Amino acid sequence: MTNVTSFHTAQDRQQELTDPLNLIVLRHWEQLRGERPAPDRKELNLRVLAPTLHWFGILERRDSELRYDWRLAGSGLCELWGRELRETEAMTDMPRFERDTILRLLDRVITTCQPALMRLSLKIGFGNRRCPAEALALPLADESAGRLLVAFVLVPHCPPGIPCHPAIEDAELHFLRLIWTEPVPGHTQPQLPPHSPVVRRKGMFTVIEGGRSRNG
């Protein structure tokens, strides 16, 4: 469980997207999107995304509650959770604080049509060693259903020479923020159901109500 989780706002190099697989996904998303809020899921080029598909998934929000389900999940994600994920509830087995915080951030991805970056550490089942991981979430349109989905990529970075079996049930969230891109002129943000979590904005950053103190 997380003892201290920092939500950074200063713009420095440590906040930049660093994983090469996530960079592939972000650049492809930006190229497809153009001046739209989000590209359609059917436009994704699997040849371009081939190196990332092991860790690539698509999430769909439930209308009546703070819940996302897996529409698609790569084999790497299924290995992290230890089971087939497609058509199951997302982010289960995570510690409650990490789960709720990530789900609320996914809501912000949908309401702002902006990508989000997350950094976590996962226990790797080898003493007390932990494996850093970087996650990217991006809005993705489903024009046939008239709604937005979330493309989600989670890539673990296991230390070299160490047997790597990351455990998602022992995850610590260290950092998250929206990656603000150019706004789309005239874009009206889609509305979430009335039971969606309330968040407030401070400047260009999202502040999520609640959290964990240093003594919590």
Side-chain angles (χ1 to χ4, degrees):
M1 292 286 283
T2 304
N3 293 319
V4 179
T5 300
S6 299
F7 301 98
H8 301 279
T9 58
Q11 301 231 5
D12 56 42
R13 291 188 177 182
Q14 292 183 354
Q15 291 189 353
E16 296 174 357
L17 195 66
T18 58
D19 184 85
L21 298 181
N22 281 332
L23 284 171
I24 290 174
V25 176
L26 180 61
R27 288 168 180 166
H28 184 55
W29 178 86
E30 288 182 321
Q31 183 181 32
L32 293 175
R33 182 187 66 154
E35 296 184 355
R36 297 171 297 171
D40 188 79
R41 63 181 181 85
K42 294 181 180 178
E43 299 175 53
L44 296 176
N45 188 326
L46 298 185
R47 290 187 178 181
V48 174
L49 297 178
T52 75
L53 294 180
H54 191 61
W55 308 109
F56 186 92
I58 295 179
L59 300 169
E60 181 175 12
R61 194 189 195 282
R62 284 288 188 95
D63 289 335
S64 60
E65 55 187 310
L66 182 59
R67 168 174 168 170
Y68 284 78
D69 291 343
W70 293 102
R71 286 269 297 264
L72 175 74
S75 57
L77 296 175
C78 294
E79 290 169 6
L80 284 177
W81 268 270
R83 62 181 181 275
E84 173 59 46
L85 294 178
R86 187 176 180 182
E87 299 182 354
T88 66
E89 183 177 356
M91 308 304 156
T92 57
D93 301 334
M94 277 189 164
R96 181 175 179 179
F97 175 74
E98 277 72 13
R99 175 186 180 274
D100 290 351
T101 303
I102 290 174
L103 292 179
R104 285 175 169 82
L105 184 63
L106 296 179
D107 271 0
R108 295 303 295 164
V109 170
I110 289 179
T111 57
T112 63
C113 284
Q114 302 293 338
L117 169 65
M118 291 158 270
R119 292 202 178 99
L120 310 93
S121 65
L122 312 175
K123 188 175 180 181
I124 59 175
F126 189 82
N128 293 320
R129 293 182 180 269
R130 304 193 72 86
C131 169
E134 184 177 272
L136 176 68
L138 311 102
L140 200 61
D142 184 351
E143 294 182 358
S144 61
R147 63 183 305 162
L148 288 176
L149 308 172
V150 177
F152 186 81
V153 190
L154 175 61
V155 186
H157 303 149
C158 295
I162 300 297
C164 188
H165 302 286
I168 201 71
E169 67 269 13
D170 189 357
E172 292 183 0
L173 180 62
H174 296 295
F175 169 90
L176 78 169
R177 76 176 177 95
L178 294 177
I179 304 173
W180 287 92
T181 56
E182 290 296 325
V184 178
H187 166 53
T188 301
Q189 294 180 355
Q191 298 297 313
L192 285 178
H195 297 293
S196 300
V198 176
V199 297
R200 57 187 174 88
R201 295 275 299 282
K202 183 177 181 181
M204 67 177 293
F205 299 96
T206 302
V207 180
I208 302 175
E209 297 292 355
R212 188 184 299 256
S213 69
R214 291 183 178 272
N215 297 322

